[in-house]
Amino acid sequence: MDYIRPATCTNEVFRSMWAEFEWENKVAITTTITGLKEFLDHIVKSTNMKCLTPYDDSQKGTFLAANLYARSVFGEDALVNVSVEKKEDNAGELAGYIRIRSKTQGIALSLGDRITTVQRGVPQDK
C-alpha cells in the first residue's frame, strides 16, 4: 500500500466522513490469528493505516472495535472500522467484519483486496 499514508483526525471528523462517504467494502474476517490486539496490529501494519482508537494492553475481553484512518498520496481519505470477536466455542477463532469507506470506489476496493490477502495470518519469520 505504497500510496496510503497513515493520518490522524478527530472522532467527530471520522464520524462525519463515515456518514458522508458513499463507497463501502465489507470484508469478513477469516484468519489464523487468535489474539484480538495481534490481529488489529497486523491489519494496521499491513494496510499502512493509523489506529485512532486507543487500546490498553491490560484490557481483557472477547470483543474489539477500532477505527483506522489514512490518506492516499492523491488526497483521498480512507476509513476502516474493525469489529472483531474472539469466539469461545470455536477454539478461540476470531470472527467479525472489517468495513472500509471512501469517497471513491478504487480506494475501498483496493484496501478490501489488501485486507483479504493479508488477514489470513502473520507471516512467519524464516
Side-chain angles (χ1 to χ4, degrees):
M1 304 293 320
D2 294 337
Y3 60 93
I4 295 283
R5 303 281 185 260
T8 188
C9 67
T10 65
N11 282 335
E12 292 77 21
V13 170
F14 185 94
R15 281 190 217 111
S16 174
M17 286 189 289
W18 188 268
E20 174 189 336
F21 290 176
E22 297 176 12
W23 290 101
E24 180 169 305
N25 191 356
K26 188 174 180 180
V27 177
I29 293 173
T30 307
T31 185
T32 58
I33 300 170
T34 57
L36 294 170
K37 180 72 165 97
E38 181 186 3
F39 179 75
L40 177 63
D41 290 344
H42 178 63
I43 294 299
V44 168
K45 182 179 177 188
S46 300
T47 58
N48 200 26
M49 298 190 82
K50 179 168 179 66
C51 183
L52 302 177
T53 307
Y55 186 84
D56 183 356
D57 285 329
S58 67
Q59 291 176 316
K60 300 293 179 211
T62 60
F63 184 81
L64 183 141
N67 292 328
L68 313 181
Y69 177 64
R71 200 155 223 207
S72 77
V73 294
F74 311 109
E76 297 170 307
D77 297 299
L79 310 176
V80 171
N81 174 265
V82 178
S83 180
V84 60
E85 178 182 13
K86 188 173 182 94
K87 295 289 190 182
E88 304 274 335
D89 57 345
N90 290 339
E93 291 179 358
L94 300 183
Y97 291 95
I98 298 173
R99 294 169 58 195
I100 303 131
R101 284 204 181 173
S102 66
K103 273 189 180 178
T104 61
Q105 182 181 20
I107 294 284
L109 292 177
S110 63
L111 261 176
D113 289 346
R114 175 71 178 161
I115 289 169
T116 299
T117 301
V118 302
Q119 74 167 328
R120 306 270 182 233
V122 178
Q124 300 298 319
D125 294 332
K126 294 185 180 177

